[in-house]
Amino acid sequence: MTSAIPPTTAVVLPGTGSDEVFVRSVFSGPLRALGVRLLTPPPPPGDRLADGYLTELDRLSGEHGPLLVGGISFGAHLSAEWAVRNPGRCTGLLAALPAWNGPAGRAPASLAARLSADLVAGNGVDGALAKSSDGVPDWLSTELGRAWRRHGEGLVASLRTAASHPAPSLEDLKGLDVPAGIGACVDDPIHPVEVARVWADALPRAEVGESTLTALGADRESLGRATVLAWLKARKR
């Protein structure tokens, strides 16, 4: 299987309020198994989150050539946005847990990011984490505790930037003719599996790989494997 993959550099971006540590835990193993080099740039601070990542993708493409791009949640949106703008510089898309298409509207992930921003603004990071921990699985609480603290003073602006930034429209996705693996957790109400399926229907060469949040809690790579396997299937189309 690995011999069928030409030398490839992947750049994968984290979701809202997350970080490159989580991205590596999800994707490093599955991509390493294919001989794909993984780059995981840290989040640009504050309201530079979206523009900073798009600029970084430009820079990395100039340095490494055409990229396999991807991300988790908001990172999936940004990587797809960059790919739509730069089809000649993109060899494929790894989009895990896309949360909406087009304007955010009242998408659950956008509302959750806005609520988190308000909690942090009113209570500080530690206070917001304490208020957000009820009913949250221990693994997710641990991930948020690390990542939110690493964002520092820019966290509120980062969350609000992600909550309001449009995802690619379905019309945009229809024009992106590269192999695309779309990863979904079927039990995730914040990133509905229906969104992943709509993205896959719009993209010319896409497959959906499904897992669960329960599996993700036990094994971070479960989401990465589902997404990468979907990409491998899409490459055959």
Side-chain angles (χ1 to χ4, degrees):
M1 183 180 295
T2 56
S3 62
I5 307 296
T8 300
T9 297
V11 181
V12 186
L13 312 179
T16 307
S18 185
D19 63 6
E20 76 280 9
V21 177
F22 183 66
V23 170
R24 286 196 296 269
S25 72
V26 171
F27 279 99
S28 61
L31 290 175
R32 184 171 59 248
L34 298 177
V36 175
R37 179 188 184 191
L38 174 61
L39 302 178
T40 57
D47 60 8
R48 293 188 56 248
L49 180 69
D51 291 343
Y53 261 141
L54 295 172
T55 299
E56 181 67 0
L57 286 170
D58 285 339
R59 187 188 72 80
L60 291 171
S61 175
E63 182 176 336
H64 298 281
L67 302 172
L68 170 61
V69 296
I72 301 171
S73 187
F74 185 62
H77 297 187
L78 289 178
S79 62
E81 178 180 343
W82 183 85
V84 166
R85 295 180 184 179
N86 300 275
R89 302 161 74 184
C90 175
T91 63
L93 177 67
L94 300 170
L97 308 182
W100 64 81
N101 52 270
R106 296 187 62 80
S110 175
L111 295 176
R114 294 174 193 274
L115 176 60
S116 295
D118 290 345
L119 280 174
V120 175
N123 301 274
V125 171
D126 289 337
L129 287 167
K131 291 178 178 291
S132 302
S133 61
D134 289 344
V136 174
D138 289 343
W139 71 268
L140 181 55
S141 179
T142 298
E143 291 289 345
L144 290 176
R146 182 199 66 251
W148 279 18
R149 291 185 178 96
R150 290 188 69 213
H151 278 266
E153 294 182 357
L155 177 60
V156 171
S158 176
L159 291 168
R160 288 180 173 156
T161 295
S164 61
H165 191 83
S169 69
L170 297 183
E171 197 62 31
D172 289 335
L173 295 176
K174 288 177 182 178
L176 183 56
D177 190 11
V178 298
I182 314 298
C185 289
V186 297
D187 55 349
D188 185 350
I190 301 298
H191 307 90
V193 65
E194 290 79 13
V195 175
R197 293 168 181 163
V198 166
W199 274 48
D201 286 343
L203 288 157
R205 300 167 60 194
E207 296 285 344
V208 175
E210 296 182 357
S211 186
T212 66
L213 287 178
T214 301
L216 182 61
D219 175 12
R220 305 293 181 270
E221 292 184 358
S222 59
L223 177 59
R225 286 193 299 271
T227 308
V228 171
L229 285 172
W231 173 67
L232 291 173
K233 291 178 182 178
R235 291 181 76 246
K236 299 178 180 179
R237 293 180 57 172

